[in-house]
Structures are given as structure tokens and as C-alpha cells.
Amino acid sequence: RKEVEQDPGPFNVPEGATVAFNCTYSNSASQSFFWYRQDCRKEPKLLMSVYSSGNEDGRFTAQLNRASQYISLLIRDSKLSDSATYLCVVSRPGNTPLVFGKGTRLSVIA
Amino acid sequence: GAGVSQTPSNKVTEKGKYVELRCDPISGHTALYWYRQSLGQGPEFLIYFQGTGAADDSGLPNDRFFAVRPEGSVSTLKIQRTERGDSAVYLCASSPNRGRLTEAFFGQGTRLTVV
């Protein structure tokens, strides 16, 4: 089983729609959680960290469920510019590298 | 700019040749990571440096792959006897973390094609 699993999509949604991505992780000792965004042929960039209490940044809401080892990202009022691949990222305790999921591809259509 | 810089941006090499990929991290970042990304996949961890030393090289696929960071800044990923399966985008990232992982900043990658 992969350490971080995501539905690869693609998710094709109209502008203005709400879309949610889910991610599961297998290592219960995982400590930090992130969503990264990657545009086509570009490098990944941090979208937001995911905190235990859940957090929101504008149209984006991230949630963590440690008991179920599950992370989610909700995007409200989708924009064309939201089209990208969204990477679920997890790190274990200590000085350990980030572990990336395969990514979920989102296409927002006019 | 002051971001992570990787050179070359593209490299085409023949099977069996040796290649070196360079990464200039953000100044002052102690942590440096190498990842490899194939089409349709997420970045796959290769090696992680904390300062000059390799803190974790468990992701290197075999002994043809080696990386150094002699002065704790610039890093070079070296691939010997390249194979067609080595073709991928090699991403470097740096982070200022000291103990707890913080945001990793990626370079634009080196696209390696082995023909």
C-alpha cells in the first residue's frame, strides 16, 4: 500500500462549482500535512498546511482526521485558474522528507 | 530571483553516459531534497541533506545514483551509466527547517531524457 493515496481524477467541474479532494495516509506517526499545487510542467508549490483543527484560506478549506488518517481539501466557487494537480503531502516525525501522493488533477471548465 | 535554481533545465543524454544535475538552494536553507517525478506521478523522494551530510538517502534507487553537498549549499546529483528508465524530471527543494519540517521550496526541475 502506498504511504499517501489520492484519487488521480481528473475532476472536471464548471466554474463556480464546489469540489472536494480526499487523501489517505498509512503511517499513523505522520506529523505534518500539506496540500501542494502543481501546474502543468511546473514545480510544486505550497497551497496550504493542514492543521488538526482544520483551516481555511479564502475559498480553500483543509481538514485533517487523524483517527481515520484522512485529509481533505475543499475548493469553493471554482475558478478557471484553479485548474492544476493537487498533491497531498505528509511528513513523519523528526527530520524526514515530505512524502507526496500522486496528485489529483482538476480541470475547471468555463 | 532568490528561489531554488536548477541547471540544466533540460538534459538529453545517451544510454550509458554519466550526468550531473545541479541545485542552488535558497541562501541559508539548511535542508535540501532531491525528488524525481515521472509523468502522471507525484514527486518520488531520492535523498535529503541536512547541511553537508545526507540525512536520508533511502530513496536512491540503486548505486548508480549519488549526491553530494560538500559545503552545505549547492548540491549535485550524479547518475552513472544512465538507463532509459532514468528519464524523468529531477526536482530539488530546500527548506529552512530546524527540527520540524516547514515549507519546502522547489526549483523548476531538470528534465532528463535518456535516449
Side-chain angles (χ1 to χ4, degrees):
Chain A
R1 183 186 171 190
K2 291 274 188 184
E3 187 162 352
V4 180
E5 298 213 54
Q6 297 180 249
D7 180 346
F11 284 63
N12 299 312
V13 303
E15 271 188 292
T18 295
V19 60
F21 306 138
N22 301 321
C23 167
T24 57
Y25 60 95
S26 62
N27 189 333
S28 59
S30 297
Q31 190 172 60
S32 301
F33 309 90
F34 309 90
W35 283 101
Y36 274 67
R37 171 189 168 132
Q38 187 171 27
D39 292 295
C40 188
R41 300 179 79 87
K42 298 287 189 181
E43 74 276 20
K45 292 184 179 178
L46 179 68
L47 177 65
M48 59 197 304
S49 301
V50 186
Y51 304 123
S52 295
S53 54
N55 48 300
E56 187 173 311
D57 182 2
R59 297 180 295 108
F60 298 84
T61 301
Q63 293 200 313
L64 167 65
N65 183 322
R66 284 190 184 272
S68 301
Q69 295 181 201
Y70 168 100
I71 306 158
S72 66
L73 176 68
L74 183 79
I75 306 175
R76 289 181 299 278
D77 189 23
S78 299
K79 311 290 185 193
L80 294 175
S81 57
D82 294 334
S83 297
T85 296
Y86 291 83
L87 297 159
C88 177
V89 187
V90 167
S91 75
R92 308 180 210 116
N95 290 336
T96 58
L98 298 172
V99 180
F100 286 77
K102 283 188 175 183
T104 298
R105 187 171 170 190
L106 171 66
S107 290
V108 181
I109 304 160
Chain B
V4 177
S5 174
Q6 290 187 247
T7 54
S9 54
N10 281 283
K11 175 72 177 177
V12 180
T13 191
E14 290 180 349
K15 179 174 177 293
K17 299 288 190 185
Y18 168 82
V19 295
E20 288 190 354
L21 312 180
R22 177 188 167 108
C23 173
D24 274 276
I26 293 172
S27 177
H29 281 193
T30 57
L32 185 146
Y33 311 85
W34 283 100
Y35 286 82
R36 175 169 72 173
Q37 187 172 27
S38 300
L39 193 65
Q41 304 294 315
E44 173 194 13
F45 169 71
L46 296 176
I47 186 170
Y48 156 52
F49 288 91
Q50 187 65 255
T52 59
D56 185 343
D57 64 358
S58 62
L60 295 177
N62 52 59
D63 62 5
R64 295 187 298 105
F65 288 75
F66 189 70
V68 295
R69 194 185 185 199
E71 297 177 359
S73 177
V74 170
S75 176
T76 305
L77 178 66
K78 309 180 182 195
I79 310 174
Q80 298 178 318
R81 304 183 304 280
T82 51
E83 299 176 358
R84 291 197 179 88
D86 298 336
S87 297
V89 176
Y90 288 80
L91 292 163
C92 175
S94 70
S95 171
N97 76 303
R98 284 170 177 67
R100 182 176 171 83
L101 190 69
T102 55
E103 178 181 357
F105 296 83
F106 282 84
Q108 292 200 333
T110 293
R111 184 173 298 275
L112 175 67
T113 304
V114 182
V115 297

